[in-house]
Amino acid sequence: MTVIRAIVTDIEGTTSSISFVKDVLFPYARKRLPAYVETHVDRPEVQHWLHEAAKEAGLVEASRQEIIELLQRWIDEDRKSTALKALQGMIWKDGYEAGDYRAHLYPEVAARLHAWRGDGLHLYVYSSGSVPAQKLFFQYSEAGDLTPMFAGYFDTETGPKRESASYEKIAEAIGELPQHLLFLSDISEELDAAKAAGFHTAWLLRPPLTVPDEPHHPAYTDFDAITL
Ligand SMILES: [Mg+2]
């Protein structure tokens, strides 16, 4: 008999809509970036990341305005830049704390996470957003602070989400054999990688998506439908 001891969940498209990140968080950072940089330019970490961004772009003598425009262009291109991620993270933190938005969750998610915890399961997050961004996301969710629910967080520092080695590392960090772990995601390639590492998988296909005739993974439209 299968014994699931811990669940590792993706965020975007799984616990939450992709559009919250795309249509709320990214435009917010883009809009706030110039004012944020101007008002926080004395902070050493802001200085540091502006400098890193300029360096990454190969700009030797860039004005503050040029760096801001560069960063906004990177947001539009969804560029994977550590400097951009760090600055966005600071801006999003301000936005969460100011109550400008709360992280979206599909309606059944919080109660189901509670229920799984009640059953003694340990819960983890694995998302391409940075670990600090994941923590903010669940701290300021529509269902309140869910961070006490999670035992740990993983991001792409552990490895790419479509490579099985990443899931092997996660299993090792959790301290459970992969056959006791369940990975939840909306992306079949991520589930393929998790399965190759020995995880159980659950494919979240949120409406209006539909379950294909022969899904490669057990497929569900919401968390309540998942059978352990
Ligand atoms: Mg996803």
Side-chain angles (χ1 to χ4, degrees), residues 5-8 122 124-126 153-154 158 163-183 193-200:
R5 295 196 179 135
I7 295 174
V8 181
H122 295 286
Y124 296 84
V125 179
Y126 182 29
Y153 303 82
F154 301 94
T158 299
E163 285 181 15
S164 61
S166 306
Y167 298 86
E168 288 164 13
K169 280 194 211 166
I170 287 172
E172 215 175 282
I174 291 174
E176 291 283 0
L177 293 172
Q179 60 259 39
H180 297 306
L181 300 174
L182 172 68
F183 178 57
K195 193 176 171 181
F199 280 56
H200 295 269

Side-chain angles (χ1 to χ4, degrees), residues 10-16 18 126 128 161 184-187 190:
D10 166 57
I11 298 177
E12 282 179 68
T14 301
T15 62
S16 310
I18 293 167
Y126 182 29
S128 54
K161 294 186 77 186
L184 316 180
S185 176
D186 60 319
I187 305 291
E190 296 177 4

Side-chain angles (χ1 to χ4, degrees), residues 9-195:
T9 185
D10 166 57
I11 298 177
E12 282 179 68
T14 301
T15 62
S16 310
S17 73
I18 293 167
S19 79
F20 171 71
V21 176
K22 202 169 119 279
D23 300 329
V24 178
L25 287 186
F26 278 87
Y28 186 89
R30 191 184 198 290
K31 188 164 159 244
R32 291 296 175 107
L33 187 78
Y36 186 87
V37 168
E38 291 304 330
T39 50
H40 297 84
V41 76
D42 294 338
R43 282 170 49 174
E45 68 269 35
V46 173
Q47 290 275 0
H48 170 76
W49 290 118
L50 292 176
H51 180 76
E52 286 298 308
K55 211 165 82 181
E56 190 181 326
L59 299 172
V60 187
E61 275 183 46
S63 68
R64 201 180 301 157
Q65 186 54 35
E66 283 171 316
I67 301 177
I68 288 169
E69 284 166 15
L70 170 81
L71 288 163
Q72 286 182 316
R73 203 160 57 239
W74 285 357
I75 292 174
D76 296 339
E77 295 166 359
D78 192 18
R79 182 174 169 127
K80 307 297 176 210
S81 152
T82 307
L84 174 62
K85 266 195 183 182
L87 288 162
Q88 277 176 323
M90 293 180 215
I91 295 168
W92 290 334
K93 184 169 189 283
D94 275 13
Y96 280 118
E97 286 171 354
D100 287 346
Y101 44 75
R102 289 191 296 164
H104 175 263
L105 287 179
Y106 287 111
E108 84 290 357
V109 167
R112 180 52 51 186
L113 294 176
H114 272 291
W116 284 334
R117 282 296 299 125
D119 292 339
L121 291 158
H122 295 286
L123 306 175
Y124 296 84
V125 179
Y126 182 29
S127 156
S128 54
S130 69
V131 166
Q134 295 174 22
K135 287 180 178 169
L136 281 172
F137 190 98
F138 286 110
Q139 184 181 352
Y140 295 98
S141 90
E142 285 176 353
D145 182 4
L146 298 184
T147 54
M149 217 88 85
F150 293 104
Y153 303 82
F154 301 94
D155 60 19
T156 49
E157 295 277 308
T158 299
K161 294 186 77 186
R162 299 180 185 203
E163 285 181 15
S164 61
S166 306
Y167 298 86
E168 288 164 13
K169 280 194 211 166
I170 287 172
E172 215 175 282
I174 291 174
E176 291 283 0
L177 293 172
Q179 60 259 39
H180 297 306
L181 300 174
L182 172 68
F183 178 57
L184 316 180
S185 176
D186 60 319
I187 305 291
S188 62
E189 290 86 349
E190 296 177 4
L191 296 164
D192 292 343
K195 193 176 171 181

